[in-house]
Amino acid sequence: MGMPDWWNQRRLGLFVHATAATVPAWSPIGEYAEWYRSHLGDDVDDVVLHPQPMVEVLAHHRDRWGHIEQYDDFVDLLTFDRFDAEEWAELAASSGAGYTVFVSKHHDGWSWWDAPASDRRLTEHGPKRNVLAEYAAACERRGITFGTYFSLLDWGDDRYPSEEFVNEVLHPQVLDLVERYGTAMLWGDGHWSRDAGVWKTAALMERVRAIDPDMVINDRWRASTSDVPDGAPGIVQTFEYDCPDRIVDGPWELNRGIGHSFGHNRAERAEHHMSAGEIIDLYTEVLAKGGNLLLDVGPAADGTIPDLQADPLRTAGAWITRHDHLLAPSRPWTDWGDRDVRYLRAEGQGADDEVVAIDLTGRGRFDALSNEHHVVSSVTDVDGDELAWEQSDDGLVITPRAGEPFPIVVCRITLTAAATPEALFALGAEQAVPLAPLLDDVRPGDLVQLGDGVYEGPAFVPPGVILRGLGSARTTIRGASNGSSSIVPAGPTLTIGRNARVEHLSVSESTADSPRVASVSIAIDDDFATVLGCTVAGTVAVTGDDVLLRAVSGRGVRADNADRLHVSRCQFSGNRWDVGVELVGGGGQHIESSEFDGHLCAVRLTDTTGSTVRANAITARWWGVHLQRTEGAHVHGNRVGWTMRAIDIDAGRGAIVDGNAVHDGDSGCIVQAGAAECEVYGNHWDRCRIGLLTWDSISLHHQDNIAIALHESDGALITGP
């Protein structure tokens, strides 16, 4: 399945998000401002993981937009009176973007063109102009490939999601974008919807390809790769905000905003936006892993793109434009690089291997190119001029030229593979040893010592048995393939019995894990089990009581009605949409002295009693610690940074929040939804938008909290409704 030439040569795109929510242009820092209607608590479907309503938005709307009764009333204020399509196209060109994707219609149902079968057209309301047509024409004049985003959800049409809506609105609107406006890419959204089965997107995409066989389609249309005709472009795999951690085969695209939101968010400040250097870092990483990068801007209500978004794009664009003749046509090399360097396979290579190497630190050091593995014959700069270099066992060192606007070394290296000694013995692939037979005849109190190598599960660790490895880097247990095309094993790799222990090993998936999928790696169904010093690729599922997890690294923990679970000194990393430690029911649990990074929510307790969360270091997207209907929870001495809601008490009774240090988030603590008899004292909130927000809480006691450098001068305490 070949992609069209433009996709392979134009690797940077400009995403443009504007909706009726562009008028309020506001959300808590870390949320998506274009979801304003959902955040208000309007009766809309398929809000997936987004909180609804958001009390922060209710408070903001009360204070700033109290005269606006209905979301659609914002449309009259969406003037776009300073919109200039040529300025948008100029920004795309100056940023180095070779293609653009414009939001033709978002979830709120307002269309930016004269869409058929709709009375929610901004050609007749608000701006009263065909912004999509004007921007498409401006892009065509500059040679920029034009694509369109289209939401399969529609919160504004009462017929959604009926068959009538699908046949008379959804399909005709998409086909109109193809037939009349010549969109080269259809960027679908709303893929999480429970209504996706009625959309008939496979049939729709068949009609689209009949019009344009080269149409580029992303993976959010719910049309699988099996629906792609032979010779047609493959479906583009979509990543949102987080880059995959490895080279990905097939067409893929990372999309993200310059800030934390796709739509313009006036709550965000300069530090919440990417710098030019960060844009260059991300672009080169995406290329080295084989993808395209779609960077988003959100115009203001007058149609201009704010400088906080445009300036870093232009600055980075100067560097990208100078180097893109080397970068854009490249493909991944055998090694993508690391935090500091990137490697790409150069276009037009001959018998020798030609690599484009990038050192973001400016030192000109490439450790992967040692003479043990490669023989370098020439090194040239971006203009083809020879550079001074030296190769050794430690790698390749290049003397960079002075005067570059960014201290980044970019060079083209010609190399061949170094001669390798002839092997005295033939080395085959390492064979995994089945683990289950090793545990067949063990008894309580036995120690099963595993050696170096790979063992294959699934396996059950019997009650009272100790299963011990030589360390996570030396002993690995992997799940067996379930025989399907799925990469997810059929069940847990390890199941641990009563009073059993698993120590000092790693538990991985059956094949190369998906960058976005985590399965259950360890299941603990009985009491008094221990996992110590292990690395776990997926999650640990706990239903037994008195379980200890200590010094475990992995994706996270899910516990159901597990009393006295103790999670201590662990490290958990998320995928932006998951929960680090999620406890449902049970009581007396302790989550302490652990590190969390990259989850949607680091710690969530639901319907628990007497649980403690203390002394953890947390960075998450939307929640640090989220208490839902808990009794007597204690959140103490945690450090929470760069997280929208550091601590959120949602209903329940008797929570104590004390001695926590919060920085650079949106809020320090929220108490809402009838939460009663809670205490919030002795906390430290630094560089957040607000400190404490209490909304519909009962008998809240708060004192001795310290708020420093809040974004809002009166934000130390906000109450409502």
Side-chain angles (χ1 to χ4, degrees):
M1 299 178 188
M3 299 298 288
D5 289 343
W6 73 262
W7 176 263
N8 295 321
Q9 298 294 325
R10 304 179 179 196
R11 308 289 294 281
L12 179 65
L14 183 69
F15 211 176
V16 184
H17 261 73
T19 69
T22 295
V23 176
W26 198 91
S27 71
I29 298 166
E31 248 287 8
Y32 295 163
E34 65 274 14
W35 281 67
Y36 195 88
R37 179 174 179 179
S38 170
H39 297 162
L40 284 174
D42 282 8
D43 185 19
V44 296
D45 291 330
D46 291 326
V47 298
V48 70
L49 299 173
H50 294 262
Q52 187 194 37
M54 296 195 73
V55 293
E56 304 96 313
V57 176
L58 296 179
H60 173 79
H61 192 83
R62 175 197 64 187
D63 296 340
R64 173 65 181 86
W65 299 102
H67 58 291
I68 298 292
E69 296 184 1
Q70 302 291 330
Y71 172 81
D72 285 347
D73 294 342
F74 283 121
V75 171
D76 289 338
L77 304 176
L78 186 64
T79 63
F80 259 49
D81 55 307
R82 297 178 60 196
F83 166 67
D84 185 334
E86 294 295 338
E87 289 185 0
W88 284 17
E90 184 278 327
L91 175 62
S94 64
S95 71
Y99 70 101
T100 188
V101 175
F102 177 63
V103 173
S104 65
K105 186 190 76 168
H106 204 262
H107 310 327
D108 63 5
W110 286 101
S111 62
W112 284 97
W113 87 107
D114 53 340
S118 175
D119 58 2
R120 297 172 64 81
R121 296 183 289 217
L122 295 173
T123 53
E124 300 164 10
H125 302 271
K128 297 182 180 178
R129 57 195 297 185
N130 194 329
V131 171
L132 185 149
E134 293 182 49
Y135 183 43
C139 289
E140 184 177 14
R141 286 190 287 272
R142 288 183 175 267
I144 297 169
T145 301
F146 185 76
T148 48
Y149 163 111
F150 183 89
S151 172
L152 291 152
L153 304 178
D154 196 316
W155 296 337
D157 195 311
D158 293 337
R159 293 170 292 176
Y160 178 86
S162 68
E163 186 172 354
E164 176 191 2
F165 173 85
V166 171
N167 293 333
E168 298 182 10
V169 180
L170 192 157
H171 284 209
Q173 288 182 353
V174 172
L175 295 171
D176 190 56
L177 292 171
V178 178
E179 292 173 332
R180 286 205 296 143
Y181 291 96
T183 183
M185 181 177 190
L186 283 172
W187 211 102
D189 199 15
H191 52 294
W192 61 84
S193 173
R194 59 180 175 271
D195 299 318
V198 306
W199 292 339
K200 304 178 184 176
T201 50
L204 174 60
M205 292 302 106
E206 185 177 351
R207 295 177 67 185
V208 165
R209 288 194 175 95
I211 301 168
D212 183 357
D214 291 329
M215 180 65 65
V216 174
I217 297 166
N218 75 337
D219 59 0
R220 295 186 174 184
W221 291 91
R222 286 289 188 93
S224 70
T225 54
S226 62
D227 299 319
V228 179
D230 291 341
I235 292 176
V236 175
Q237 189 177 6
T238 305
F239 294 84
E240 188 168 307
Y241 270 84
D242 281 349
C243 192
D245 60 6
R246 60 183 70 87
I247 294 171
V248 176
D249 293 332
W252 66 272
E253 179 185 66
L254 172 66
N255 74 97
R256 62 152 296 163
I258 297 295
H260 295 305
S261 172
F262 288 101
H264 177 37
N265 183 7
R266 286 187 281 206
E268 293 182 350
R269 308 202 300 184
E271 62 266 28
H272 304 116
H273 293 76
M274 298 180 77
S275 67
E278 289 170 333
I279 292 173
I280 294 169
D281 287 1
L282 183 59
Y283 180 55
T284 55
E285 180 180 355
V286 168
L287 294 187
K289 294 175 178 177
N292 286 20
L293 176 61
L294 184 62
L295 282 177
D296 175 82
V297 294
D302 64 0
T304 61
I305 296 174
D307 290 342
L308 282 177
Q309 301 173 51
D311 287 350
L313 274 172
R314 286 196 173 95
T315 304
W319 185 92
I320 291 170
T321 300
R322 171 161 168 70
H323 297 89
D324 223 26
H325 66 285
L326 284 180
L327 304 181
S330 67
R331 290 296 171 262
W333 193 49
T334 55
D335 178 357
W336 75 268
D338 56 34
R339 183 182 64 182
D340 296 331
V341 301
R342 313 281 190 257
Y343 301 105
L344 305 107
R345 191 177 301 279
E347 183 189 39
Q349 62 198 49
D352 294 326
D353 201 0
E354 294 187 349
V355 173
V356 176
I358 305 163
D359 180 5
L360 300 166
T361 70
R363 295 175 302 174
R365 235 193 126 74
F366 301 98
D367 294 342
L369 300 180
S370 69
N371 56 19
E372 180 182 357
H373 302 290
H374 308 280
V375 177
V376 173
S377 57
S378 71
V379 180
T380 58
D381 65 11
V382 66
D383 298 317
D385 297 328
E386 291 284 339
L387 291 171
W389 55 275
E390 182 178 353
Q391 189 183 25
S392 68
D393 292 345
D394 296 326
L396 178 69
V397 178
I398 295 168
T399 303
R401 296 192 190 281
E404 293 289 341
F406 286 92
I408 299 173
V409 174
V410 181
C411 53
R412 185 164 179 156
I413 301 168
T414 302
L415 49 80
T416 54
T420 55
E422 184 176 348
L424 297 178
F425 305 97
L427 298 177
E430 184 178 29
Q431 297 296 312
V433 177
L435 178 59
L438 303 180
L439 299 170
D440 280 347
D441 299 322
V442 297
R443 297 181 178 182
D446 285 352
L447 167 64
V448 178
Q449 178 68 61
L450 302 180
D452 284 302
V454 178
Y455 297 81
E456 187 171 79
F460 173 68
V461 184
V465 171
I466 300 173
L467 180 65
R468 180 177 294 163
L470 297 176
S472 294
R474 299 176 63 182
T475 305
T476 298
I477 301 173
R478 74 182 186 198
S481 173
N482 63 5
S484 74
S485 59
S486 169
I487 62 153
V488 181
T493 302
L494 277 184
T495 302
I496 304 176
R498 183 181 180 86
N499 203 32
R501 295 170 63 92
V502 175
E503 304 176 354
H504 311 305
L505 49 80
S506 66
V507 182
S508 69
E509 304 295 350
S510 58
T511 59
D513 339 332
S514 163
R516 298 186 290 186
V517 174
S519 60
V520 175
S521 294
I522 296 178
I524 304 174
D525 301 331
D526 215 330
D527 303 340
F528 301 104
T530 297
V531 180
L532 174 66
C534 293
T535 299
V536 182
T539 60
V540 180
V542 180
T543 53
D545 297 334
D546 299 287
V547 170
L548 171 63
L549 306 177
R550 177 165 291 163
V552 173
S553 299
R555 186 67 68 85
V557 178
R558 163 79 188 212
D560 291 286
N561 297 309
D563 291 331
R564 297 173 299 282
L565 169 67
H566 199 142
V567 179
S568 172
R569 288 184 284 174
C570 295
Q571 292 182 314
F572 299 115
S573 298
N575 68 354
R576 283 182 55 85
W577 295 104
D578 55 355
V579 180
V581 172
E582 182 160 20
L583 311 183
V584 179
Q589 304 101 329
H590 284 74
I591 314 299
E592 63 179 7
S593 304
S594 296
E595 298 179 7
F596 297 83
D597 180 65
H599 300 88
L600 184 76
C601 174
V603 179
R604 174 173 288 146
L605 312 182
T606 303
D607 299 321
T608 63
T609 303
S611 303
T612 299
V613 181
R614 72 177 184 90
N616 300 287
I618 295 172
T619 300
R621 283 187 64 201
W622 291 349
W623 290 277
V625 180
H626 188 193
L627 308 181
Q628 295 187 122
R629 304 183 302 277
T630 62
E631 296 284 334
H634 189 190
V635 182
H636 168 72
N638 300 282
R639 292 183 291 112
V640 186
W642 300 102
T643 301
M644 184 178 74
R645 293 175 170 175
I647 300 164
D648 181 5
I649 307 172
D650 195 341
R653 181 179 299 273
I656 299 174
V657 177
D658 67 304
N660 300 283
V662 180
H663 67 90
D664 297 294
D666 187 78
S667 60
C669 183
I670 292 177
V671 185
Q672 61 169 317
E677 300 174 10
C678 299
E679 299 181 35
V680 180
Y681 61 88
N683 299 284
H684 190 281
W685 303 316
D686 189 9
R687 301 189 304 277
C688 298
R689 185 181 62 83
I690 59 173
L692 174 63
L693 169 58
T694 170
W695 197 270
D696 194 24
S697 63
I698 303 169
S699 302
L700 172 67
H701 176 68
H702 60 92
Q703 67 179 38
D704 300 331
N705 298 296
I706 299 173
I708 299 175
L710 298 182
H711 302 179
E712 297 188 6
S713 58
D714 57 351
L717 174 64
I718 296 176
T719 63

